[in-house]
Amino acid sequence: MNIIYKCRHCGAEIGSIRSDHIEESTLGFDHLTDHERQEMIQSNQEGHIQVMAICENCQETLDKHPEYHQWETFIQ
């Protein structure tokens, strides 16, 4: 199973973890609410998990332009 971290704004792959077995608590998923889990974590057809996060470039842009928080995606 792979856990793939992707940026929710630009779609860039941030990183991945390959593991046959990994605990949710190790990744911090146990600290998420049900709503946050639904928004951030998805499984694909191959059984891999995709986690939507924010890459460094998009975070820097959000820091410089806080009004962009109102949009789901701000990359054109």
Side-chain angles (χ1 to χ4, degrees):
M1 170 179 64
N2 291 340
I3 301 168
I4 303 162
Y5 288 82
K6 292 187 80 172
C7 181
R8 71 175 62 235
H9 297 289
C10 69
E13 186 173 318
I14 299 168
S16 63
I17 300 171
R18 294 176 188 220
S19 176
D20 291 331
H21 179 74
I22 194 160
E23 297 290 327
E24 285 190 6
S25 60
T26 303
L27 300 172
F29 294 168
D30 58 326
H31 295 284
L32 299 174
T33 66
D34 288 338
H35 180 72
E36 290 169 332
R37 283 176 187 257
Q38 289 176 345
E39 284 188 341
M40 294 178 66
I41 303 171
Q42 304 163 353
S43 296
N44 66 18
Q45 293 174 343
E46 292 90 32
H48 302 303
I49 297 172
Q50 182 171 291
V51 180
M52 302 307 288
I54 300 175
C55 70
E56 289 181 23
N57 290 333
C58 288
Q59 184 60 54
E60 287 177 13
T61 300
L62 287 169
D63 290 343
K64 291 177 185 174
H65 305 279
E67 68 276 11
Y68 289 177
H69 282 279
Q70 65 185 331
W71 298 312
E72 183 71 24
T73 182
F74 52 85
I75 305 297
Q76 299 292 324

